[in-house]
Amino acid sequence: MAIVRVTFTCLLLVWSSAWAFGQATEKVAVTFDELYDEPYSINKLFVAFQPLYGEIFATNVNAGFGAEAQYFHKNKFNIKGQFRKSYSSKFLDFNRENALRNSTVANAPEVFNYYEFGGTFHIKDFDETSTAKIFLHQKKIPRSKWASTVATYAEVPSKLRKIYGARLGTVIWDATTDINRTLAKQGLTYANLVNSDGNSLPETYVDGNGETQDMQAFSNLYATNVYVGTSLTWIRNIAVSFDQYDDAVDDGIFNVYLDLLFAPSIKLDPVTYNGFDYSTDAIKLNKIGVRAGFEGKYNRTLGWSYGGELGYRPSLDGRGFFAVFKIAFPVFSSNLDNKVEAFQK
């Protein structure tokens, strides 16, 4: 048995070495022609549909769909607007679904909605000499062979455009909140929620079967945030033709940013039970937050994009952590230049 294992190991090593040698010997130098290298000649308008996003938010876990649009004005500034909302309470608006199933108060659970609009002023917009990693591919290579080989790439000289930006904008969102979890997080109880007569929200109630049940309270939170921050964007827009491979492009646009968030307006509805409104003023609200994010897309008429954020959002105190990832397809873009030259016969 030991002899079999040794033999098998030797054969595996020989095959691996032969495969690696074959991969190495297939590498040959390539020549190329530059078709264009113009990082400033990107499309002006990008419109994207997000079929899916997911957000882990301590206030309310949610997932759904969205859309966004971005406009670049020369090398001066760019503006962007976006919205997101959950598909339904079951997929996925966690607190709303929980409230629809278990709430014992009269508050109608709010659908998660998120709106953002802002702009980035280009403090410094310049290009520098760099290299682009271009992957090599031939259409005549069978898909099975292409998938079973290590992708080969070439590094070609290219311009890299960089934008240092200053960001300013606003975010408006609303969501259903779980009052029970919030009170437990802040060390409060229903005794801290009182109505105009000074009576506290009861901790239990008697159901239709005469049994005592725990109170399950939910409310709605509305927030308007202002953000200010900084960003760094990298843009490449190069196309090359190779002597032995198909034409290739590197047209990526990648952006990272860091924002400080402030909520000039944040409101938590009172809890309504048996015709009385119980004040939620005792629940602490946090008006300061921070976030870091990234987003990437491509300078193509039809493409896709991706992005993500991580941070602490102005919300219920102790319930502001969030992480979101989003993907968009399709993404349409245009340079908004519809003029054509006309010549008189």
Side-chain angles (χ1 to χ4, degrees):
M1 188 65 182
I3 296 176
V4 173
R5 284 200 300 268
V6 171
T7 303
F8 177 77
T9 303
C10 291
L11 290 175
L12 182 61
L13 291 173
V14 170
W15 178 85
S16 300
S17 300
W19 180 84
F21 178 76
Q23 291 288 308
T25 55
E26 289 179 3
K27 292 182 179 180
V28 294
V30 296
T31 59
F32 70 93
D33 288 324
E34 180 185 291
L35 302 179
Y36 60 81
D37 186 8
E38 302 175 349
Y40 286 91
S41 297
I42 64 171
N43 290 332
K44 297 178 180 179
L45 179 65
F46 294 81
V47 179
F49 172 69
Q50 297 169 356
L52 180 65
Y53 80 87
E55 181 176 71
I56 300 174
F57 184 19
T59 297
N60 182 29
V61 176
N62 62 93
F65 68 98
E68 65 179 41
Q70 185 173 22
Y71 172 77
F72 285 86
H73 182 70
K74 301 179 180 179
N75 62 343
K76 304 299 182 182
F77 66 88
N78 68 82
I79 56 177
K80 183 177 181 180
Q82 61 175 305
F83 89 91
R84 302 196 300 267
K85 71 179 303 179
S86 58
Y87 274 110
S88 66
S89 60
K90 293 184 178 180
F91 185 78
L92 175 69
D93 198 335
F94 184 81
N95 280 345
R96 181 175 172 232
E97 176 66 11
N98 196 13
L100 290 173
R101 289 177 176 269
N102 304 309
S103 178
T104 54
V105 298
N107 299 65
E110 186 69 49
V111 178
F112 179 84
N113 295 289
Y114 181 96
Y115 303 90
E116 180 175 333
F117 181 80
T120 301
F121 176 73
H122 298 185
I123 297 176
K124 187 176 182 181
D125 191 332
F126 64 101
D127 65 81
E128 62 184 23
T129 302
S130 179
T131 57
K133 183 182 292 186
I134 306 293
F135 287 93
L136 307 176
H137 176 60
Q138 290 176 310
K139 292 181 180 178
K140 63 181 181 181
I141 297 178
R143 289 181 179 270
S144 57
K145 182 178 180 181
W146 174 258
S148 63
T149 59
V150 178
T152 306
Y153 66 89
E155 292 185 344
V156 301
S158 73
K159 298 176 184 177
L160 175 62
R161 180 182 175 187
K162 289 185 177 181
I163 303 173
Y164 292 100
R167 292 163 50 88
L168 177 66
T170 183
V171 176
I172 300 173
W173 62 271
D174 56 80
T176 302
T177 62
D178 188 329
I179 296 298
N180 291 43
R181 291 178 179 271
T182 302
L183 293 176
K185 181 68 175 180
Q186 298 188 9
L188 303 174
T189 66
Y190 284 131
N192 298 104
L193 309 183
V194 297
N195 60 22
S196 57
D197 295 332
N199 297 320
S200 300
L201 181 67
E203 296 187 359
T204 60
Y205 71 99
V206 178
D207 64 15
N209 297 323
E211 297 181 358
T212 300
Q213 304 287 348
D214 291 333
M215 183 71 70
Q216 299 291 326
F218 294 83
S219 183
N220 298 312
L221 183 66
Y222 307 86
T224 299
N225 303 336
V226 174
Y227 67 84
V228 59
T230 184
S231 65
L232 174 58
T233 304
W234 295 269
I235 300 176
R236 277 198 175 93
N237 190 34
I238 182 174
V240 295
S241 64
F242 294 100
D243 54 348
Q244 303 176 35
Y245 295 90
D246 299 332
D247 295 349
V249 299
D250 185 351
D251 55 358
I253 302 173
F254 188 75
N255 177 50
V256 295
Y257 54 89
L258 178 66
D259 294 331
L260 178 66
L261 305 170
F262 172 71
S265 174
I266 183 168
K267 174 190 174 185
L268 180 62
D269 282 344
V271 175
T272 302
Y273 180 69
N274 282 348
F276 291 95
D277 289 338
Y278 293 83
S279 174
T280 56
D281 291 345
I283 296 177
K284 295 184 287 293
L285 304 175
N286 176 49
K287 293 189 174 184
I288 302 294
V290 65
R291 68 177 178 181
F294 68 91
E295 52 192 9
K297 55 178 170 282
Y298 302 91
N299 183 47
R300 303 172 187 176
T301 303
L302 177 63
W304 66 287
S305 67
Y306 56 91
E309 288 182 358
L310 178 71
Y312 197 87
R313 184 178 291 158
S315 181
L316 303 168
D317 190 45
R319 308 284 291 172
F321 171 81
F322 78 97
V324 59
F325 181 78
K326 52 189 177 181
I327 188 167
F329 180 83
V331 178
F332 301 100
S333 68
S334 170
N335 61 10
L336 302 180
D337 185 6
N338 298 318
K339 183 178 70 174
V340 297
E341 294 185 0
F343 300 94
Q344 185 176 4
K345 293 182 179 180

